[in-house]
Amino acid sequence: MSMTNKLALAKRRSGLTSAALASRSGVPLSTVNKILSGQTAHPAPQSLERLCRALDISMGYLLDDGIPDELFLSAQCEGDGLHYLSQQEWELVRDYGVLTVQGRQMVDALLEMLLALSPLPLPTGRRRLLLYLQPVAQGQRGALMDSFEFGVLDVPADSVTEAADFAVLLTDGSMAPVYTPGTMLAVKRGAVAANQLGLFLLNRELFPRKLSRSPGRTKLVAINISYKDVIVRPEDELSCMGAILGAVRDYTRLPKGGTPSPGGADFLYPQRLKL
């Protein structure tokens, strides 16, 4: 569905007239009419943002033709800070909305009973912000730390994320099958215990590995046995950025405005290791 059609549909659902929408959004009525009629093919972002707020929809929903119309209540691009509902979830919300008061009370009671029987921990709703880095270039063996991006994650406050100092996006298969490429890994600054996964910098290349030491030999060992061990030579520069705590789940990437700029890795304080 096009942007124009989505706006018109949201306007009908809201029950607003064009004049009321203009008044609520602060967008001139003539501009509203041109946008709704399709005369303005590329409306100003400020106008679209005001219309979205007035109609209680997201810019992500409005501009992404791949988002179905039925997801209008929950459809948010990742940067908007919310998540999609699946088709099944949307149907449950829709059906719940047409129940009587007694019907909703019965559903609520049944849901509470099922949650009490669930083996999974109940969500607490607490969340926190976590800085992450994303390597964007590959070196000879690992990701280049001279080329990376920063961002901020909105994450559930659980045992992993509460202990983490930052997160890093896994860009290769070295951690498979435990962690697949694309997993966001939580990292705690400091020393790495024996047989604990860590995040290492070797000559400015980034490696999520285990550190293995034996007389006369130091190497970085991957979980994935198809990856060769990385041998650390005496002349190499090896640093530990911290211990890998686990995967960050159910996170949302926040807009990048105000986050550290690329190249500002001093906050990571990598610990130089003696070879």
Side-chain angles (χ1 to χ4, degrees):
M1 180 176 287
S2 69
M3 175 189 68
T4 301
N5 289 338
K6 284 184 175 179
L7 276 174
L9 182 60
K11 174 176 169 288
R12 288 199 300 273
R13 282 175 169 149
S14 70
L16 296 173
T17 64
S18 295
L21 177 58
S23 176
R24 177 180 292 188
S25 65
V27 178
L29 179 58
S30 59
T31 302
V32 170
N33 288 331
K34 288 180 180 179
I35 294 175
L36 290 174
S37 66
Q39 288 181 262
T40 303
H42 303 288
Q46 297 90 338
S47 296
L48 289 180
E49 184 179 2
R50 290 176 182 176
L51 289 173
C52 284
R53 284 202 302 266
L55 294 169
D56 197 24
I57 59 176
S58 92
M59 287 280 280
Y61 164 75
L62 188 64
L63 300 178
D64 189 344
D65 290 338
I67 298 178
D69 164 53
E70 63 268 17
L71 300 185
F72 79 100
L73 283 177
S74 64
Q76 303 283 346
C77 64
E78 199 174 45
D80 287 333
L82 296 177
H83 300 282
Y84 293 98
L85 289 182
S86 68
Q87 177 66 31
Q88 182 180 16
E89 291 168 336
W90 159 248
E91 291 174 354
L92 288 171
V93 172
R94 179 200 61 193
D95 295 343
Y96 184 86
V98 299
L99 293 175
T100 63
V101 173
Q102 293 79 8
R104 293 185 185 184
Q105 290 174 344
M106 292 178 64
V107 171
D108 293 343
L110 179 60
L111 181 60
E112 289 182 6
M113 182 184 70
L114 292 174
L115 287 173
L117 296 174
S118 173
L120 300 177
L122 297 180
T124 64
R126 294 187 304 113
R127 302 184 71 84
R128 64 164 296 201
L129 299 182
L130 190 63
L131 201 64
Y132 78 92
L133 63 92
Q134 177 177 335
V136 295
Q138 197 72 14
Q140 294 182 350
R141 296 177 293 180
L144 285 177
M145 279 300 292
D146 291 331
S147 178
F148 60 92
E149 294 180 353
F150 278 113
V152 175
L153 303 178
D154 179 4
V155 302
D158 54 30
S159 58
V160 172
T161 58
E162 287 279 28
D165 292 310
F166 64 97
V168 62
L169 183 69
L170 182 63
T171 57
D172 64 20
S174 62
M175 306 282 278
V178 180
Y179 303 115
T180 57
T183 300
M184 195 69 74
L185 297 173
V187 182
K188 182 176 180 59
R189 289 197 300 262
V192 176
N195 296 319
Q196 184 179 12
L197 288 169
L199 197 63
F200 298 94
L201 278 177
L202 179 63
N203 300 332
R204 304 301 298 167
E205 291 187 16
L206 186 68
F207 295 93
R209 296 286 197 277
K210 289 183 180 179
L211 181 65
S212 174
R213 294 184 185 271
S214 59
R217 169 169 283 196
T218 300
K219 57 184 179 180
L220 300 176
V221 181
I223 292 178
N224 190 339
I225 59 175
S226 66
Y227 277 65
K228 294 182 179 179
D229 296 342
V230 178
I231 306 300
V232 183
R233 301 165 299 182
E235 63 270 21
D236 289 334
E237 180 180 339
L238 179 65
S239 299
C240 179
M241 297 175 66
I244 294 175
L245 304 178
V248 180
R249 309 292 184 186
D250 301 324
Y251 63 83
T252 300
R253 298 178 197 241
L254 299 184
K256 293 186 177 181
T259 61
S261 59
D266 291 342
F267 85 98
L268 298 173
Y269 305 118
Q271 179 182 355
R272 181 72 179 271
L273 299 181
K274 295 182 180 180
L275 302 180

